[in-house]
Amino acid sequence: MKTKWLLRFFTVLGALGVAAVTLAQTQPTQTQTRNGYNLPPGWEMPVMDHMRNVATFIERAEFRTGEVDDSAVFDAEGWIGGDFQRLWWKTDVEQLRRSPKSGEFEVQALYSRLIRPFWDVQAGLRLDRTYSGPDRETRGRLVLALEGLAPFWFEIEPALFISDKGKVSFSFIATYELLLTQRLVLEPRIDLRLDAAEQKDVSRFIGEGANDLDFGLRLRYDIRRQFSPYIGVEWHRALGASAGIARRAGTDVSRTAVVFGLRGWF
């Protein structure tokens, strides 16, 4: 008799356990990622959603010659962070070979936030340093930028800058990678600069409005995806008030340079 009741008891207990498990599996739940995004009911937490990664990109490490003064250019950027939030750094250096030594460099530190797939909004600080012989000038700027992949796979970087003297400027960079083969890539690049007011630094006078336009074509060979030597040509054109100043000074408004260098990432 006792055995019969024990059998019934464990049968009912097992049935209740199965029902509880089934109910728990069908009960909709709302889960959030570490970044506050809601997941559909019943979805598991994304794998490695909390990972922090580091990347560095050397866009241009090149030497220029031709109608321009011989110069070395180093353009690189990188980030540390996750899929949604990152800390970016960017640097752009140009060193002329003429005497006295002249050149300029800029460094940016930015906070970046993913606002939609392939698009980041960035904000932070930029430090500029211009020099020519004994003359030096340093400026700080606030930065508000957007970086992303436009339709037809154009990479664009519009950016707004406000200097410590209240001067407003704007830059626009667009690049495109045309695969001729699996390793041979042709990359057009456009750089445009606009200024809301006249500015003067130790090396030149910058007029109001559109000032500089650079158009380049670089043909690279991917020895590895992370290491690519290239050759190319770059055309520079002064615009607006800056072009008028160049003409009055007897200098060329447009110049063409031959470039060769390396591109890589890690």
Side-chain angles (χ1 to χ4, degrees):
M1 192 69 172
K2 291 182 179 181
T3 303
K4 187 175 182 180
W5 278 105
L6 285 174
L7 182 60
R8 291 180 179 178
F9 173 76
F10 283 115
T11 301
V12 173
L13 186 62
L16 290 175
V18 172
V21 171
T22 304
L23 182 62
Q25 290 178 342
T26 58
Q27 184 68 27
T29 58
Q30 193 73 22
T31 307
Q32 285 191 337
T33 67
R34 293 169 60 91
N35 297 284
Y37 289 87
N38 290 328
L39 296 176
W43 279 37
E44 296 292 335
M45 186 70 71
V47 177
M48 293 189 289
D49 185 53
H50 62 285
M51 290 290 290
R52 292 292 177 264
N53 299 304
V54 179
T56 299
F57 305 92
I58 301 175
E59 300 292 345
R60 296 176 297 166
E62 66 186 28
F63 181 78
R64 297 178 180 176
T65 188
E67 297 177 355
V68 301
D69 294 325
D70 291 351
S71 61
V73 174
F74 183 74
D75 178 11
E77 63 183 23
W79 56 264
I80 179 172
D83 294 332
F84 297 93
Q85 300 182 81
R86 296 174 178 175
L87 292 177
W88 278 80
W89 61 267
K90 300 182 180 182
T91 184
D92 192 351
V93 182
E94 181 175 6
Q95 172 68 60
L96 305 181
R97 289 191 60 192
R98 68 188 182 197
S99 183
K101 292 296 184 181
S102 300
E104 58 185 16
F105 70 85
E106 69 178 56
V107 178
Q108 298 183 41
L110 306 169
Y111 166 77
S112 176
R113 174 75 181 187
L114 183 73
I115 56 175
R116 59 177 303 177
F118 306 112
W119 286 99
D120 291 87
V121 62
Q122 301 172 342
L125 299 174
R126 167 181 158 184
L127 182 67
D128 293 350
R129 178 78 165 173
T130 307
Y131 52 92
S132 180
D135 298 323
R136 302 284 189 274
E137 184 172 4
T138 303
R139 289 181 179 174
R141 303 176 191 268
L142 296 175
V143 183
L144 180 62
L146 190 67
E147 184 168 345
L149 195 62
F152 304 104
W153 301 97
F154 283 91
E155 295 184 20
I156 64 172
E157 299 178 40
L160 180 71
F161 305 100
I162 304 176
S163 73
D164 51 8
K165 297 182 179 179
K167 304 294 185 180
V168 179
S169 59
F170 176 82
S171 72
F172 178 83
I173 301 174
T175 59
Y176 181 77
E177 294 188 350
L178 178 61
L179 272 68
L180 304 180
T181 69
Q182 288 296 317
R183 294 185 179 271
L184 200 60
V185 182
L186 182 64
E187 181 180 298
R189 175 187 172 106
I190 295 176
D191 290 72
L192 176 65
R193 171 174 174 169
L194 301 94
D195 290 83
E198 296 179 349
Q199 300 185 50
K200 177 70 173 70
D201 59 30
V202 298
S203 61
R204 61 172 180 161
F205 178 85
I206 301 171
E208 181 181 353
N211 278 292
D212 297 293
L213 175 64
D214 292 313
F215 176 73
L217 280 174
R218 291 169 175 81
L219 181 66
R220 74 173 189 262
Y221 182 79
D222 292 342
I223 297 177
R224 296 172 56 194
R225 295 304 180 191
Q226 297 92 338
F227 182 79
S228 308
Y230 64 82
I231 59 172
V233 61
E234 186 160 279
W235 177 70
H236 172 82
R237 169 79 182 187
L239 304 173
S242 296
I245 294 168
R247 291 189 184 97
R248 290 192 292 272
T251 58
D252 294 331
V253 175
S254 63
R255 294 166 292 175
T256 304
V258 177
V259 303
F260 52 91
L262 295 172
R263 181 180 187 272
W265 59 270
F266 53 90

